[in-house]
Amino acid sequence: MSPAAGAAPRRVVLCADDFGMEPSVNEGILRLAAAGRITAVTCMVDMPAWREGARALPGVSGRADAGLHLDLGTRSAAELLALAARGALGLVDEDRIAERVAAQLDRFEAATGAPPAFVDGHHHVHQLRPVRSALLRVLRARYGERAPYVRNVVPLRPRGMKAAIVAGLGARPLLRRLEAEGIAHNPDFAGVYDLSARSDFPGLLRGWLGDLADGGLVMCHPGLPGEGPVAAARGAELRYLESDRFADDCRAAAVRLVRPSETSP
């Protein structure tokens, strides 16, 4: 999609997931935030590198919002699907989930001195039944009308089979709740792909930047070289996001990167 001549730039939130997972992820994300190449950092407060990483977040607070990446222990697609199935069958204790949400909010606030600017979920667990109900209950009880922005994972247009599967796990019921309760959220979502070294991340991101609605959110997973099955993809994302090519692609798409807090009324 080519931007119309003279059109105002579309606002896009570019959010780096998994901060706190390991030092190499933290360092890559902090580099991008300091350079203004990402505008949101979502944090895993139960992971080994969280405490050290949290001490560095004030240095990028003017460039990127920090949020909570709710983690219920899923480490694979199979574990996510098992949790989703148990939730759909009523086998997940909503009160227990609420306790885990509150505990992670406590840890976030203890380390940063402030509530999260937004909340989402590792493997998008925040959309699952009954996780979404527990999450929204805790956010309302804790923050009242100042509940933080919550990531919506419903894309406004088809963005691949994996994105459709993710959205099918509970994204639309969550979106209806966010709209009904007046909780700030992104109107469009992109960033789902296989996180493999074979994927053309620059090409994918150019496509998402080209058709994302104003105020939409793109998730990414950058990091320095490290361990794990997606380490190569993290490195590829970091290299592109630090490049002049990425800046040129944003200009060509008439996109202005903004923080989640800059999209809310």
Side-chain angles (χ1 to χ4, degrees):
M1 179 186 297
S2 299
R10 282 173 298 114
R11 301 167 301 162
V12 169
V13 174
L14 184 54
C15 183
D17 287 14
D18 299 344
F19 189 82
M21 181 173 281
E22 57 185 61
S24 61
V25 173
N26 290 0
E27 188 174 345
I29 288 173
L30 290 167
R31 269 174 38 177
L32 291 172
R37 296 303 179 92
I38 58 170
T39 55
V41 177
T42 189
C43 305
M44 301 180 76
V45 301
D46 288 337
M47 296 300 282
W50 162 243
R51 288 186 178 276
E52 180 180 355
R55 289 194 286 270
L57 286 175
V60 298
S61 62
R63 291 182 174 270
D65 287 346
L68 175 68
H69 201 45
L70 179 65
D71 181 14
L72 297 181
T74 58
R75 295 295 179 263
S76 67
E79 291 176 351
L80 172 65
L81 293 174
L83 178 61
R86 289 172 52 230
L89 293 170
L91 301 177
V92 175
D93 185 337
E94 183 175 324
D95 290 339
R96 175 61 182 139
I97 296 295
E99 291 172 1
R100 295 181 70 175
V101 172
Q104 291 185 36
L105 289 168
D106 287 344
R107 285 190 280 278
F108 183 96
E109 293 180 10
T112 66
F118 61 93
V119 177
D120 53 40
H122 188 55
H123 293 153
H124 315 292
V125 294
H126 67 298
Q127 67 173 317
L128 303 180
R129 178 188 178 192
V131 180
R132 58 181 179 261
S133 296
L135 172 63
L136 297 184
R137 174 157 59 94
V138 171
L139 294 182
R140 279 300 191 201
R142 193 174 184 116
Y143 305 113
E145 294 303 311
R146 299 178 66 84
Y149 172 118
V150 173
R151 181 186 290 182
N152 158 44
V153 298
V154 177
L156 287 181
R157 52 185 49 80
R159 294 200 171 98
M161 180 62 71
K162 186 174 180 181
I165 292 170
V166 167
L169 295 177
R172 286 172 179 79
L174 173 61
L175 177 58
R176 288 194 291 270
R177 288 284 302 274
L178 297 176
E179 291 172 339
E181 298 187 27
I183 295 175
H185 58 279
N186 49 300
D188 197 1
F189 176 69
V192 178
Y193 73 107
D194 64 3
L195 289 174
S196 77
R198 300 184 304 276
S199 294
D200 176 17
F201 179 73
L204 289 168
L205 186 51
R206 278 194 296 274
W208 297 329
L209 293 176
D211 68 11
L212 201 72
D214 180 57
L217 182 147
V218 180
M219 70 171 182
C220 58
H221 299 80
L224 293 179
E227 303 298 324
V230 301
R234 290 190 191 279
E237 291 192 16
L238 178 67
R239 289 190 295 275
Y240 172 61
L241 293 173
E242 285 189 311
S243 71
D244 292 340
R245 185 180 173 195
F246 171 60
D248 291 343
D249 289 341
C250 287
R251 285 190 290 270
V255 158
R256 178 168 64 93
L257 299 180
V258 299
R259 293 174 288 160
S261 57
E262 296 177 300
T263 67
S264 302

